[in-house]
Amino acid sequence: MVSLYEASNLLATIRAHHGDAQISETDVRMFLAELMPSMTVDEARRAIVEYYSTARDRWCGAGDINMLVKAHRAKMRPSEAQIGREAEKAGLTDTQTWLYRRQRLMGDSASEAQRKAISSHDPLALPPVEPKPKRAGGFNPRLGVGLGQVVAGGR
C-alpha cells in the first residue's frame, strides 16, 4: 500500500519530467485514490521509469502505472505447466496441489506455497461454525421483567 507521502513523491517524479509542475494536496489524494491498493512503492517507481524510458509526449497517469504494474506481475506469475511440474516434483497430493497452485498464483514463492500446502490439514474443508451464545431466560435481564410477570399480566 502506498502512503500519502509516497504518493506525493511519485507524483513529484512524474511532474519532474514535465517542468516541475506544482502539486497540490488534492492532486496527490486523487492520484493515490486511482492507484491499485495492492501496489507497492517500488512497483510504482519501476512503472514510472519504464513509462518514461521511451519517448512520451503525454504525462504518466495512475492508469498507466496500474497497467504497467499489472503487466509486470503477469510476467512474473508462473505458468500452469510450471506450477504442475513444481507440484509433481514436490510430491504433493491432489488437494495439496490445488492449494499450492492457488498460493503460487497469488504471488507466493515456490517454497512458501509448498510450506502452506503441506502444513494445511484440509484446505478444502470449511472451518467449524461457532455456536451463538445463549441468552438467559429469553428476556433481557436488564429490564427487570421476568417471564412470569409477562404471562401473569404484569403483577
mmCIF file with all atom_site columns, all heavy atoms in Angstrom, residues 130-144:
data_model
loop_
_atom_site.group_PDB
_atom_site.id
_atom_site.type_symbol
_atom_site.label_atom_id
_atom_site.label_alt_id
_atom_site.label_comp_id
_atom_site.label_asym_id
_atom_site.label_entity_id
_atom_site.label_seq_id
_atom_site.pdbx_PDB_ins_code
_atom_site.Cartn_x
_atom_site.Cartn_y
_atom_site.Cartn_z
_atom_site.occupancy
_atom_site.B_iso_or_equiv
_atom_site.pdbx_formal_charge
_atom_site.auth_seq_id
_atom_site.auth_comp_id
_atom_site.auth_asym_id
_atom_site.auth_atom_id
_atom_site.pdbx_PDB_model_num
ATOM 1   N N   . GLU A 1 130 ? -19.181 -21.648 14.766 1.00 0.00 ? 130 GLU A N   1
ATOM 2   C CA  . GLU A 1 130 ? -19.210 -21.428 16.205 1.00 0.00 ? 130 GLU A CA  1
ATOM 3   C C   . GLU A 1 130 ? -20.654 -21.179 16.631 1.00 0.00 ? 130 GLU A C   1
ATOM 4   O O   . GLU A 1 130 ? -21.372 -20.400 15.994 1.00 0.00 ? 130 GLU A O   1
ATOM 5   C CB  . GLU A 1 130 ? -18.341 -20.241 16.567 1.00 0.00 ? 130 GLU A CB  1
ATOM 6   C CG  . GLU A 1 130 ? -16.870 -20.471 16.288 1.00 0.00 ? 130 GLU A CG  1
ATOM 7   C CD  . GLU A 1 130 ? -16.003 -19.295 16.696 1.00 0.00 ? 130 GLU A CD  1
ATOM 8   O OE1 . GLU A 1 130 ? -16.468 -18.489 17.528 1.00 0.00 ? 130 GLU A OE1 1
ATOM 9   O OE2 . GLU A 1 130 ? -14.894 -19.196 16.181 1.00 0.00 ? 130 GLU A OE2 1
ATOM 10  N N   . PRO A 1 131 ? -21.085 -21.817 17.717 1.00 0.00 ? 131 PRO A N   1
ATOM 11  C CA  . PRO A 1 131 ? -22.467 -21.609 18.154 1.00 0.00 ? 131 PRO A CA  1
ATOM 12  C C   . PRO A 1 131 ? -22.666 -20.197 18.691 1.00 0.00 ? 131 PRO A C   1
ATOM 13  O O   . PRO A 1 131 ? -21.748 -19.583 19.224 1.00 0.00 ? 131 PRO A O   1
ATOM 14  C CB  . PRO A 1 131 ? -22.641 -22.656 19.258 1.00 0.00 ? 131 PRO A CB  1
ATOM 15  C CG  . PRO A 1 131 ? -21.259 -22.927 19.743 1.00 0.00 ? 131 PRO A CG  1
ATOM 16  C CD  . PRO A 1 131 ? -20.354 -22.735 18.556 1.00 0.00 ? 131 PRO A CD  1
ATOM 17  N N   . LYS A 1 132 ? -23.896 -19.713 18.548 1.00 0.00 ? 132 LYS A N   1
ATOM 18  C CA  . LYS A 1 132 ? -24.223 -18.397 19.077 1.00 0.00 ? 132 LYS A CA  1
ATOM 19  C C   . LYS A 1 132 ? -24.364 -18.495 20.589 1.00 0.00 ? 132 LYS A C   1
ATOM 20  O O   . LYS A 1 132 ? -24.835 -19.509 21.102 1.00 0.00 ? 132 LYS A O   1
ATOM 21  C CB  . LYS A 1 132 ? -25.537 -17.899 18.470 1.00 0.00 ? 132 LYS A CB  1
ATOM 22  C CG  . LYS A 1 132 ? -25.445 -17.610 17.004 1.00 0.00 ? 132 LYS A CG  1
ATOM 23  C CD  . LYS A 1 132 ? -26.763 -17.085 16.500 1.00 0.00 ? 132 LYS A CD  1
ATOM 24  C CE  . LYS A 1 132 ? -26.710 -16.806 15.012 1.00 0.00 ? 132 LYS A CE  1
ATOM 25  N NZ  . LYS A 1 132 ? -27.996 -16.334 14.504 1.00 0.00 ? 132 LYS A NZ  1
ATOM 26  N N   . PRO A 1 133 ? -23.988 -17.463 21.297 1.00 0.00 ? 133 PRO A N   1
ATOM 27  C CA  . PRO A 1 133 ? -24.151 -17.510 22.754 1.00 0.00 ? 133 PRO A CA  1
ATOM 28  C C   . PRO A 1 133 ? -25.636 -17.527 23.115 1.00 0.00 ? 133 PRO A C   1
ATOM 29  O O   . PRO A 1 133 ? -26.446 -16.840 22.495 1.00 0.00 ? 133 PRO A O   1
ATOM 30  C CB  . PRO A 1 133 ? -23.464 -16.238 23.238 1.00 0.00 ? 133 PRO A CB  1
ATOM 31  C CG  . PRO A 1 133 ? -23.401 -15.343 22.057 1.00 0.00 ? 133 PRO A CG  1
ATOM 32  C CD  . PRO A 1 133 ? -23.395 -16.221 20.844 1.00 0.00 ? 133 PRO A CD  1
ATOM 33  N N   . LYS A 1 134 ? -25.982 -18.320 24.128 1.00 0.00 ? 134 LYS A N   1
ATOM 34  C CA  . LYS A 1 134 ? -27.378 -18.428 24.558 1.00 0.00 ? 134 LYS A CA  1
ATOM 35  C C   . LYS A 1 134 ? -27.702 -17.300 25.518 1.00 0.00 ? 134 LYS A C   1
ATOM 36  O O   . LYS A 1 134 ? -26.882 -16.926 26.357 1.00 0.00 ? 134 LYS A O   1
ATOM 37  C CB  . LYS A 1 134 ? -27.622 -19.781 25.214 1.00 0.00 ? 134 LYS A CB  1
ATOM 38  C CG  . LYS A 1 134 ? -27.496 -20.925 24.248 1.00 0.00 ? 134 LYS A CG  1
ATOM 39  C CD  . LYS A 1 134 ? -27.895 -22.216 24.893 1.00 0.00 ? 134 LYS A CD  1
ATOM 40  C CE  . LYS A 1 134 ? -27.810 -23.330 23.858 1.00 0.00 ? 134 LYS A CE  1
ATOM 41  N NZ  . LYS A 1 134 ? -28.360 -24.565 24.357 1.00 0.00 ? 134 LYS A NZ  1
ATOM 42  N N   . ARG A 1 135 ? -28.913 -16.798 25.379 1.00 0.00 ? 135 ARG A N   1
ATOM 43  C CA  . ARG A 1 135 ? -29.372 -15.761 26.296 1.00 0.00 ? 135 ARG A CA  1
ATOM 44  C C   . ARG A 1 135 ? -30.073 -16.415 27.476 1.00 0.00 ? 135 ARG A C   1
ATOM 45  O O   . ARG A 1 135 ? -30.812 -17.387 27.307 1.00 0.00 ? 135 ARG A O   1
ATOM 46  C CB  . ARG A 1 135 ? -30.343 -14.820 25.598 1.00 0.00 ? 135 ARG A CB  1
ATOM 47  C CG  . ARG A 1 135 ? -29.699 -14.041 24.479 1.00 0.00 ? 135 ARG A CG  1
ATOM 48  C CD  . ARG A 1 135 ? -30.576 -12.966 23.941 1.00 0.00 ? 135 ARG A CD  1
ATOM 49  N NE  . ARG A 1 135 ? -31.979 -13.332 23.923 1.00 0.00 ? 135 ARG A NE  1
ATOM 50  C CZ  . ARG A 1 135 ? -32.913 -12.618 23.347 1.00 0.00 ? 135 ARG A CZ  1
ATOM 51  N NH1 . ARG A 1 135 ? -32.611 -11.507 22.757 1.00 0.00 ? 135 ARG A NH1 1
ATOM 52  N NH2 . ARG A 1 135 ? -34.168 -12.995 23.364 1.00 0.00 ? 135 ARG A NH2 1
ATOM 53  N N   . ALA A 1 136 ? -29.904 -15.884 28.620 1.00 0.00 ? 136 ALA A N   1
ATOM 54  C CA  . ALA A 1 136 ? -30.536 -16.438 29.824 1.00 0.00 ? 136 ALA A CA  1
ATOM 55  C C   . ALA A 1 136 ? -31.990 -16.011 29.889 1.00 0.00 ? 136 ALA A C   1
ATOM 56  O O   . ALA A 1 136 ? -32.297 -14.822 29.843 1.00 0.00 ? 136 ALA A O   1
ATOM 57  C CB  . ALA A 1 136 ? -29.799 -15.966 31.070 1.00 0.00 ? 136 ALA A CB  1
ATOM 58  N N   . GLY A 1 137 ? -32.902 -16.956 29.975 1.00 0.00 ? 137 GLY A N   1
ATOM 59  C CA  . GLY A 1 137 ? -34.314 -16.651 30.176 1.00 0.00 ? 137 GLY A CA  1
ATOM 60  C C   . GLY A 1 137 ? -35.051 -16.179 28.952 1.00 0.00 ? 137 GLY A C   1
ATOM 61  O O   . GLY A 1 137 ? -36.265 -16.079 28.960 1.00 0.00 ? 137 GLY A O   1
ATOM 62  N N   . GLY A 1 138 ? -34.388 -15.853 27.914 1.00 0.00 ? 138 GLY A N   1
ATOM 63  C CA  . GLY A 1 138 ? -35.065 -15.396 26.712 1.00 0.00 ? 138 GLY A CA  1
ATOM 64  C C   . GLY A 1 138 ? -35.492 -13.940 26.764 1.00 0.00 ? 138 GLY A C   1
ATOM 65  O O   . GLY A 1 138 ? -35.998 -13.397 25.803 1.00 0.00 ? 138 GLY A O   1
ATOM 66  N N   . PHE A 1 139 ? -35.328 -13.304 27.911 1.00 0.00 ? 139 PHE A N   1
ATOM 67  C CA  . PHE A 1 139 ? -35.674 -11.893 28.055 1.00 0.00 ? 139 PHE A CA  1
ATOM 68  C C   . PHE A 1 139 ? -34.433 -11.137 28.494 1.00 0.00 ? 139 PHE A C   1
ATOM 69  O O   . PHE A 1 139 ? -33.501 -11.701 29.059 1.00 0.00 ? 139 PHE A O   1
ATOM 70  C CB  . PHE A 1 139 ? -36.796 -11.703 29.088 1.00 0.00 ? 139 PHE A CB  1
ATOM 71  C CG  . PHE A 1 139 ? -38.119 -12.180 28.592 1.00 0.00 ? 139 PHE A CG  1
ATOM 72  C CD1 . PHE A 1 139 ? -38.555 -13.470 28.867 1.00 0.00 ? 139 PHE A CD1 1
ATOM 73  C CD2 . PHE A 1 139 ? -38.925 -11.356 27.841 1.00 0.00 ? 139 PHE A CD2 1
ATOM 74  C CE1 . PHE A 1 139 ? -39.761 -13.916 28.404 1.00 0.00 ? 139 PHE A CE1 1
ATOM 75  C CE2 . PHE A 1 139 ? -40.141 -11.795 27.375 1.00 0.00 ? 139 PHE A CE2 1
ATOM 76  C CZ  . PHE A 1 139 ? -40.566 -13.083 27.652 1.00 0.00 ? 139 PHE A CZ  1
ATOM 77  N N   . ASN A 1 140 ? -34.461 -9.862  28.291 1.00 0.00 ? 140 ASN A N   1
ATOM 78  C CA  . ASN A 1 140 ? -33.339 -9.029  28.688 1.00 0.00 ? 140 ASN A CA  1
ATOM 79  C C   . ASN A 1 140 ? -33.382 -8.849  30.198 1.00 0.00 ? 140 ASN A C   1
ATOM 80  O O   . ASN A 1 140 ? -34.293 -8.204  30.716 1.00 0.00 ? 140 ASN A O   1
ATOM 81  C CB  . ASN A 1 140 ? -33.410 -7.683  27.971 1.00 0.00 ? 140 ASN A CB  1
ATOM 82  C CG  . ASN A 1 140 ? -32.149 -6.874  28.162 1.00 0.00 ? 140 ASN A CG  1
ATOM 83  O OD1 . ASN A 1 140 ? -31.374 -7.130  29.069 1.00 0.00 ? 140 ASN A OD1 1
ATOM 84  N ND2 . ASN A 1 140 ? -31.968 -5.894  27.293 1.00 0.00 ? 140 ASN A ND2 1
ATOM 85  N N   . PRO A 1 141 ? -32.418 -9.391  30.932 1.00 0.00 ? 141 PRO A N   1
ATOM 86  C CA  . PRO A 1 141 ? -32.463 -9.295  32.389 1.00 0.00 ? 141 PRO A CA  1
ATOM 87  C C   . PRO A 1 141 ? -32.268 -7.867  32.887 1.00 0.00 ? 141 PRO A C   1
ATOM 88  O O   . PRO A 1 141 ? -32.628 -7.555  34.013 1.00 0.00 ? 141 PRO A O   1
ATOM 89  C CB  . PRO A 1 141 ? -31.310 -10.195 32.839 1.00 0.00 ? 141 PRO A CB  1
ATOM 90  C CG  . PRO A 1 141 ? -30.446 -10.375 31.665 1.00 0.00 ? 141 PRO A CG  1
ATOM 91  C CD  . PRO A 1 141 ? -31.289 -10.170 30.461 1.00 0.00 ? 141 PRO A CD  1
ATOM 92  N N   . ARG A 1 142 ? -31.744 -6.977  32.066 1.00 0.00 ? 142 ARG A N   1
ATOM 93  C CA  . ARG A 1 142 ? -31.540 -5.593  32.494 1.00 0.00 ? 142 ARG A CA  1
ATOM 94  C C   . ARG A 1 142 ? -32.852 -4.838  32.644 1.00 0.00 ? 142 ARG A C   1
ATOM 95  O O   . ARG A 1 142 ? -32.918 -3.823  33.296 1.00 0.00 ? 142 ARG A O   1
ATOM 96  C CB  . ARG A 1 142 ? -30.634 -4.865  31.499 1.00 0.00 ? 142 ARG A CB  1
ATOM 97  C CG  . ARG A 1 142 ? -29.194 -5.361  31.562 1.00 0.00 ? 142 ARG A CG  1
ATOM 98  C CD  . ARG A 1 142 ? -28.353 -4.658  30.556 1.00 0.00 ? 142 ARG A CD  1
ATOM 99  N NE  . ARG A 1 142 ? -28.707 -5.260  29.256 1.00 0.00 ? 142 ARG A NE  1
ATOM 100 C CZ  . ARG A 1 142 ? -28.262 -4.830  28.101 1.00 0.00 ? 142 ARG A CZ  1
ATOM 101 N NH1 . ARG A 1 142 ? -27.491 -3.794  28.052 1.00 0.00 ? 142 ARG A NH1 1
ATOM 102 N NH2 . ARG A 1 142 ? -28.594 -5.433  26.990 1.00 0.00 ? 142 ARG A NH2 1
ATOM 103 N N   . LEU A 1 143 ? -33.914 -5.349  32.028 1.00 0.00 ? 143 LEU A N   1
ATOM 104 C CA  . LEU A 1 143 ? -35.200 -4.673  32.121 1.00 0.00 ? 143 LEU A CA  1
ATOM 105 C C   . LEU A 1 143 ? -35.902 -4.965  33.450 1.00 0.00 ? 143 LEU A C   1
ATOM 106 O O   . LEU A 1 143 ? -36.848 -4.279  33.819 1.00 0.00 ? 143 LEU A O   1
ATOM 107 C CB  . LEU A 1 143 ? -36.112 -5.082  30.960 1.00 0.00 ? 143 LEU A CB  1
ATOM 108 C CG  . LEU A 1 143 ? -35.619 -4.700  29.567 1.00 0.00 ? 143 LEU A CG  1
ATOM 109 C CD1 . LEU A 1 143 ? -36.581 -5.236  28.522 1.00 0.00 ? 143 LEU A CD1 1
ATOM 110 C CD2 . LEU A 1 143 ? -35.485 -3.195  29.436 1.00 0.00 ? 143 LEU A CD2 1
ATOM 111 N N   . GLY A 1 144 ? -35.471 -5.991  34.130 1.00 0.00 ? 144 GLY A N   1
ATOM 112 C CA  . GLY A 1 144 ? -36.080 -6.339  35.414 1.00 0.00 ? 144 GLY A CA  1
ATOM 113 C C   . GLY A 1 144 ? -37.433 -7.010  35.270 1.00 0.00 ? 144 GLY A C   1
ATOM 114 O O   . GLY A 1 144 ? -38.203 -7.059  36.221 1.00 0.00 ? 144 GLY A O   1
#
